[in-house]
Amino acid sequence: MIDTNIIVTLVSSLFSGILASYITTKLSKYTKDSEEYQNRKIKIFTKLMTTRNARASINHVEALNMIDFAFYGLKGKEKKRTESEKSVLNSWIEYYQHLKREAKNNEELPILLNERDNLFVNLLENISKDINYVMPRHDIKDGSYFPRMYEDLDFEQNYLRRLAIDLLNGSNSIKINLNDLPDNYKSYLTNLEQIVKQAVDNNSIKIELNKKDNF
């Protein structure tokens, strides 16, 4: 006859082994999920920090649009959202709402931009606290390097883009000064405007020819 104590011991050992294995698996998965969740936050913070002086860049915009997802709560559950995550989401909503505002006049523009900067710094500050990488506020705001050349390049690209749009929609024109052309080109002046107009569809680009009376 089998000893009852032996059976109890075997069952207990088997149950303990199964339970231990289950708990280990769950803890391992939870740890992995937590690490991935934290890494998403760190990636967003890194992108926002490295592009904080280039806020129109695609990387910056993508990072902003990932905030809702990354700080919603572990496993996408609102009930698991921490207080620091709530602070991040609230500061993001406030900053996002401000991004949609436009200055009514030139006098309001500096005030609007200063408010926007402060809200953006608030956002980064709250993210840094959530990921336990607290940075002084002045480092977030003034601790980055952005060469003047990049600022000039952005301005020139935006200017050329707006100019091209104005030309295509007909709200602007190209002015060509033909006064200094060599004599052998002057015979083409009477036909130049007609040839150019035929090359564009529906006369969408305005061409103005500055000609001397004696041409």
Side-chain angles (χ1 to χ4, degrees):
M1 184 174 180
I2 301 176
D3 192 340
T4 305
N5 292 332
I6 296 177
I7 296 176
V8 172
T9 301
L10 290 173
V11 172
S12 299
S13 299
L14 179 62
F15 179 77
S16 298
I18 294 174
L19 181 61
S21 177
Y22 175 80
I23 293 175
T24 300
T25 302
K26 283 292 184 181
L27 287 175
S28 177
K29 188 176 185 306
Y30 179 82
T31 301
K32 182 180 179 181
D33 290 345
S34 298
E35 288 178 353
E36 291 178 352
Y37 186 57
Q38 185 74 356
N39 288 337
R40 282 198 297 268
K41 295 178 177 181
I42 294 174
K43 185 177 180 180
I44 288 174
F45 180 70
T46 302
K47 274 191 175 184
L48 292 177
M49 287 293 291
T50 55
T51 60
R52 60 191 186 275
N53 281 333
R55 300 182 197 176
S57 68
I58 186 64
N59 286 335
H60 187 85
V61 175
E62 285 179 351
L64 288 176
N65 286 324
M66 284 293 292
I67 290 176
D68 284 334
F69 170 69
F71 293 86
Y72 190 84
L74 186 60
K75 295 185 178 181
K77 295 181 180 179
E78 186 175 353
K79 65 181 181 180
K80 292 189 176 183
R81 189 180 301 165
T82 63
E83 290 300 319
S84 61
E85 289 172 341
K86 292 177 182 178
S87 296
V88 171
L89 292 177
N90 288 336
S91 58
W92 160 233
I93 292 172
E94 191 174 5
Y95 178 59
Y96 170 69
Q97 294 297 330
H98 198 279
L99 287 174
K100 297 189 291 184
R101 289 179 53 188
E102 295 183 2
K104 298 179 182 178
N105 49 58
N106 292 335
E107 290 75 17
E108 185 182 347
L109 182 59
I111 300 174
L112 188 75
L113 293 178
N114 184 62
E115 291 176 350
R116 186 165 297 170
D117 282 342
N118 288 329
L119 291 174
F120 178 67
V121 173
N122 290 344
L123 173 61
L124 288 181
E125 192 175 24
N126 284 326
I127 293 177
S128 71
K129 291 177 180 178
D130 180 78
I131 63 175
N132 296 317
Y133 192 78
V134 181
M135 294 183 63
R137 187 178 180 87
H138 63 84
D139 284 350
I140 295 176
K141 188 173 184 179
D142 302 320
S144 63
Y145 171 63
F146 194 72
R148 176 62 184 271
M149 178 184 67
Y150 290 171
E151 294 182 12
D152 294 342
L153 182 61
D154 285 343
F155 173 80
E156 291 166 0
Q157 287 177 339
N158 288 330
Y159 176 78
L160 291 174
R161 179 181 58 82
R162 289 194 299 268
L163 179 61
I165 292 174
D166 289 343
L167 290 173
L168 291 173
N169 64 27
S171 62
N172 204 342
S173 60
I174 297 177
K175 295 182 180 180
I176 304 175
N177 190 342
L178 302 175
N179 294 333
D180 298 325
L181 285 176
D183 291 339
N184 59 330
Y185 283 98
K186 294 180 180 179
S187 60
Y188 295 103
L189 293 179
T190 55
N191 298 324
L192 180 60
E193 186 172 3
Q194 181 180 357
I195 293 173
V196 173
K197 287 183 178 180
Q198 290 175 352
V200 295
D201 185 27
N202 297 324
N203 193 22
S204 59
I205 297 179
K206 297 179 180 178
I207 305 296
E208 295 180 2
L209 299 178
N210 185 3
K211 299 183 249 185
K212 287 183 178 179
D213 295 337
N214 57 353
F215 280 0

